[in-house]
């Protein structure tokens, strides 16, 4: 099978980029020909290690950079970029001749109509990596006009299959008239042997993710501020980077938590960080899946997470492998405080979480993705 992935870029540290890398490497290792096509990567390096067997090309159609242009010029520039995309993407398809094209959403909507037209009879699989209701966020006027004119949802309905990561997201696509919708989870890149698991006695809360508004680390910090005096031996370590970093630093300083809440850059060996923690907390407003939840569970950590759309409630069994909190500061604080105060129950939940995470082992999940791609080839 010759498989072509189409996505915005692969230079950002994030769940989508990590999973595409893992899938591309796995499938290439199984003997399939794999190419990743980006349109705004430029000369940026890959965020994750890519197999030499996986080809990559960037068609250099920097659609989102049009906002650097004067307002009066943006629409014409958008059409110019789209014409350029059709030329360059057409050359890629004629050269590589894929059996299946995989399109990731969001952030590829501007080229969906063009790509569907260029693809011809080649089956197109759409992968949804973000909660459906959040797919059109903070659009500028130019983007809104193009979306209204092109109607990417209508174009996406032509796909051979749509793969959602959660049942909740799948239900939203089905409501929009999509028929061939399949639910497949992301896989975890590691699953440590149980006899190598530490005792988790370090009184540390770990949080992992991009420092963006979506992840709502501000909510987490405010929640911890409500309980830190009753649990003075606990600290919070946040691993990530992003546009909210300076705001979060100011919030931490304003609450006097500089010694209790620490911001760390992303690390290559995140497993070691999980292993030296006792509790994982996710405070997001929404998630496409919640890969970091499964990673933490695979390292024997119980989870406290907001019950946000759509992934957490499908991964965490409330009261068994973790606790689901309302999307507000006080309830998140209550759930975190309960976990901190109940060591025996916390450790029992961690063991159950570890066993539940086995469902997401790479060798199991990747085989399902491979079969899904193969199933659309006539």
């Amino acid at each position: 099978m010759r498989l072509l992935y189409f996505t915005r870029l692969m230079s950002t540290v994030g769940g989508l980029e990590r999973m595409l890398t893992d899938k591309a490497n796995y499938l290439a290792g199984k003997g399939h020909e794999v190419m990743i096509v980006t349109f705004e990567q430029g000369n940026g390096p890959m965020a994750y290690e890519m197999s030499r067997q996986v080809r990559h090309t960037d068609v250099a159609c920097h659609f989102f950079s049009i906002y650097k242009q004067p307002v009066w010029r943006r629409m014409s520039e958008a059409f110019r970029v789209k014409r350029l995309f059709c030329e360059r993407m057409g050359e890629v398809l004629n050269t590589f001749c894929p059996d299946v094209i995989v399109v990731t959403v969001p952030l590829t909507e501007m080229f969906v109509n063009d790509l569907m037209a260029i693809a011809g009879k080649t089956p197109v699989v759409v992968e949804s990596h973000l909660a459906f209701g959040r797919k059109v966020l903070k659009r500028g006027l130019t983007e809104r006009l193009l979306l209204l004119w092109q109607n990417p949802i209508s174009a996406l309905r032509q796909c051979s299959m749509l793969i959602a990561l959660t049942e909740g997201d799948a239900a939203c696509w089905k409501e929009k008239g999509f028929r061939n919708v399949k639910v497949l989870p992301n896989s975890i890149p590691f699953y440590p042997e149980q006899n190598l698991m530490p005792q988790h006695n370090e009184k540390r809360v770990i949080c992992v993710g991009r420092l963006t508004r979506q992840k709502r680390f501000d909510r987490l910090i405010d929640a911890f501020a409500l309980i830190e005096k009753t649990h003075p031996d606990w600290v919070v370590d946040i691993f990530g980077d992003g546009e909210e970093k300076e705001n979060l630093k100011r919030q931490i300083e304003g609450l006097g938590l500089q010694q209790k809440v620490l911001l760390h850059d992303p690390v290559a060996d995140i497993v070691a960080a999980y292993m030296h923690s006792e509790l994982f907390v996710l405070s997001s407003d929404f998630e496409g899946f919640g890969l970091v939840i499964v990673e933490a569970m695979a390292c024997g950590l119980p989870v406290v997470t907001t019950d946000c759309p759509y992934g957490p409630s499908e991964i965490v069994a409330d009261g068994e492998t973790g606790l689901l909190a309302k999307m507000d500061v006080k309830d998140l604080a209550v759930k975190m405080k309960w976990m901190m105060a109940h060591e025996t129950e916390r450790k029992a939940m961690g063991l159950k979480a570890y066993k539940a995470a086995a469902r997401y082992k790479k060798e199991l999940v990747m085989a399902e993705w491979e079969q899904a791609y193969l199933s659309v080839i006539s």
Side-chain angles (χ1 to χ4, degrees), residues 282-352:
L282 185 139
S283 50
S284 300
D285 275 342
F286 59 95
E287 287 287 336
F289 177 70
L291 180 62
V292 289
I293 296 176
V294 187
E295 289 180 349
M297 290 169 61
C299 293
L301 295 184
V303 175
V304 171
T305 174
T306 49
D307 189 9
C308 65
Y310 286 109
S313 64
E314 296 185 26
I315 300 171
V316 177
D318 192 28
E320 294 291 324
T321 59
L323 297 175
L324 297 176
K326 297 176 183 177
M327 292 168 62
D328 65 63
V329 171
K330 290 184 178 179
D331 196 52
L332 186 61
V334 167
K335 299 301 193 300
M336 290 172 63
K337 184 176 182 180
W338 188 93
M339 280 287 196
M340 292 174 181
H342 294 80
E343 180 179 0
T344 301
E345 293 87 344
R346 183 176 70 244
K347 291 185 181 298
M349 284 188 182
L351 180 58
K352 291 180 180 178

Side-chain angles (χ1 to χ4, degrees), residues 64-320:
F64 293 98
S65 67
I66 65 174
Y67 298 102
K68 297 179 182 179
Q69 302 289 338
V71 174
W72 57 268
R73 189 177 175 182
R74 291 178 185 175
M75 185 62 77
S76 62
E77 184 67 9
F79 283 107
R80 184 193 70 80
V81 170
K82 284 169 63 62
R83 285 195 299 271
L84 184 63
F85 171 80
C86 290
E87 294 173 7
R88 293 179 175 174
M89 195 67 186
E91 292 175 1
V92 171
L93 296 184
N94 288 335
T95 302
F96 185 62
C97 299
D99 297 310
V100 182
I101 298 172
V102 180
V103 181
T104 68
V105 292
L107 300 178
T108 55
E109 292 93 329
M110 298 307 163
F111 296 121
V112 164
N113 285 59
D114 301 317
L115 182 59
M116 289 292 189
I118 299 170
K121 295 182 179 180
T122 304
V124 175
V125 174
V126 175
E127 292 183 8
S128 175
H129 287 265
L130 193 64
F132 182 89
R134 302 288 179 164
K135 285 191 168 61
V136 186
L137 288 174
K138 298 181 179 179
R139 298 296 194 190
L141 176 60
T142 305
E143 283 186 73
R144 291 200 299 270
L145 289 173
L146 284 169
L147 285 168
L148 181 64
W149 170 58
Q150 294 199 114
N151 192 2
I153 293 295
S154 178
L156 289 171
R157 286 198 190 99
Q158 301 172 34
C159 71
S160 300
M161 177 185 291
L162 186 140
I163 301 177
L165 303 179
T166 65
E167 294 289 351
D169 193 35
C172 291
W173 286 103
K174 290 175 183 177
E175 288 177 4
K176 287 293 183 179
F178 285 76
R179 295 184 179 181
N180 192 12
V181 179
K182 188 176 183 64
V183 179
L184 290 176
N186 282 331
S187 67
I188 45 177
F190 48 78
Y191 189 74
E193 294 295 329
Q194 188 170 353
N195 62 350
L196 299 178
M197 302 291 281
Q199 294 301 309
H200 295 293
N201 290 321
E202 299 194 24
K203 299 293 189 293
R204 178 167 86 155
V205 175
I206 184 172
C207 314
V208 181
R210 293 180 187 172
L211 305 184
T212 62
R213 187 63 181 167
Q214 170 202 344
K215 301 297 183 180
R216 291 303 307 272
F217 288 110
D218 61 312
R219 176 187 285 145
L220 164 72
I221 295 167
D222 282 339
F224 182 69
L226 296 178
I227 60 177
E228 61 94 11
K229 286 185 171 56
T230 58
H231 295 281
D233 50 344
W234 283 78
V235 297
V236 176
D237 283 330
I238 301 172
F239 290 84
D241 198 6
E243 62 266 25
E244 286 291 305
K245 189 170 187 175
E246 293 305 316
N247 290 335
L248 295 175
K249 282 183 178 179
R250 286 191 289 269
Q251 181 185 6
I252 292 168
E253 292 170 0
L255 293 168
L257 296 176
Q258 297 95 317
Q259 304 303 315
K260 294 294 188 71
V261 180
L262 305 176
L263 299 179
H264 305 271
D265 290 335
V267 294
D269 188 10
I270 193 62
V271 176
Y274 287 130
M275 291 292 198
H276 291 90
S277 305
E278 283 204 58
L279 175 64
F280 177 84
V281 177
L282 185 139
S283 50
S284 300
D285 275 342
F286 59 95
E287 287 287 336
F289 177 70
L291 180 62
V292 289
I293 296 176
V294 187
E295 289 180 349
M297 290 169 61
C299 293
L301 295 184
V303 175
V304 171
T305 174
T306 49
D307 189 9
C308 65
Y310 286 109
S313 64
E314 296 185 26
I315 300 171
V316 177
D318 192 28
E320 294 291 324

